[in-house]
Amino acid sequence: MIQNFINGLYEFHFLQNALVTAVVIGVVSGAVGCFIILRGMSLMGDAISHAVLPGVAISYILGINFFVGAIIFGLLSSIIITFIKNNSIIKGDTAIGMKVNFYHYLLMVLLTLVSVTAMQSVGTILIVAMLITPAATAYLYTNSLRKMIILSSSLGAVSSVLGLFIGYSFNIAVGSSIVITSAIIFAISFLVSPKQNFIKKKVKIDD
């Protein structure tokens, strides 16, 4: 199967494009996902990924590139969500200073771009898994942000390549294969990572 996959990479242009796209999305979503996880914004990716759908529909109706409508609606939704959060009577310590707001909106822009770009590769629903799972896995191994970003991006890339290989070899949906692969890596890491230490804790309890 591995040889067939390698031969397919040489023969088929679409498979080459799929590999490059999957790796890039895996790396970028892995990096952005770290900030999403650490800032407790895991559901923001889900909100934006759904918010871009009206933009895609309107773009189709107007006969323009779906990317334009999706980006506009994604950014608009992130701005509205942030505005409501910052002006809510139940808000926390959100207005700390100008740079915090800048980096927050920058993160929202990056999240929107990742969501829109990944939409064609893994689908709207599965974008959230690509943003959260590699980052959550990396968090199990390190407390360093730099190491977490590197590890999460690497895991995103590896999951993308393995998922593409499985999808191509067994003729199943590549997006689902990528997400399932990432989930399996997380499940294994949950059991064996030094931070979680689940197996050793289980052994001690049994003793």
Side-chain angles (χ1 to χ4, degrees):
M1 288 189 295
I2 296 178
Q3 189 60 47
N4 289 336
F5 180 70
I6 295 175
N7 291 337
L9 288 175
Y10 281 107
E11 295 177 10
F12 303 118
H13 188 63
F14 79 91
L15 190 58
Q16 298 170 7
N17 291 336
L19 178 63
V20 173
T21 302
V23 171
V24 171
I25 290 176
V27 170
V28 176
S29 62
V32 174
C34 291
F35 297 96
I36 299 300
I37 288 288
L38 295 177
R39 288 178 59 87
M41 298 166 57
S42 300
L43 293 179
M44 182 64 81
D46 182 57
I48 293 179
S49 65
H50 285 81
V52 301
L53 291 179
V56 174
I58 292 176
S59 297
Y60 177 78
I61 293 173
L62 297 177
I64 60 178
N65 193 310
F66 86 94
F67 194 84
V68 176
I71 287 291
I72 292 175
F73 270 73
L75 292 176
L76 183 61
S77 65
S78 65
I79 291 173
I80 293 175
I81 291 172
T82 301
F83 176 81
I84 294 174
K85 178 182 177 182
N86 289 344
N87 291 275
S88 171
I89 59 174
I90 58 173
K91 67 179 180 180
D93 299 330
T94 52
I96 298 174
M98 293 300 182
K99 290 186 178 179
V100 172
N101 286 331
F102 170 76
Y103 288 122
H104 177 80
Y105 282 109
L106 177 61
L107 179 59
M108 291 300 96
V109 171
L110 291 175
L111 178 57
T112 301
L113 291 174
V114 171
S115 299
V116 173
T117 305
M119 186 166 55
Q120 282 187 311
S121 299
V122 298
T124 304
I125 305 300
L126 302 181
I127 291 173
V128 184
M130 285 299 294
L131 284 167
I132 296 176
T133 311
T137 305
Y139 183 72
L140 293 175
Y141 289 101
T142 180
N143 291 319
S144 168
L145 177 59
R146 182 177 65 85
K147 292 180 180 178
M148 182 179 175
I149 293 174
I150 295 174
L151 181 56
S152 178
S153 296
S154 301
L155 289 171
V158 170
S159 299
S160 297
V161 173
L162 290 177
L164 180 61
F165 165 72
I166 294 172
Y168 177 79
S169 299
F170 295 96
N171 194 28
I172 57 179
V174 172
S176 300
S177 300
I178 293 174
V179 173
I180 291 174
T181 302
S182 183
I184 291 174
I185 294 175
F186 172 79
I188 296 173
S189 299
F190 183 82
L191 296 176
V192 304
S193 68
K195 184 183 290 188
Q196 186 66 32
N197 210 11
F198 182 82
I199 293 180
K200 289 185 179 180
K201 289 179 181 177
K202 182 66 176 177
V203 172
K204 288 182 180 179
I205 292 175
D206 293 337
D207 290 341

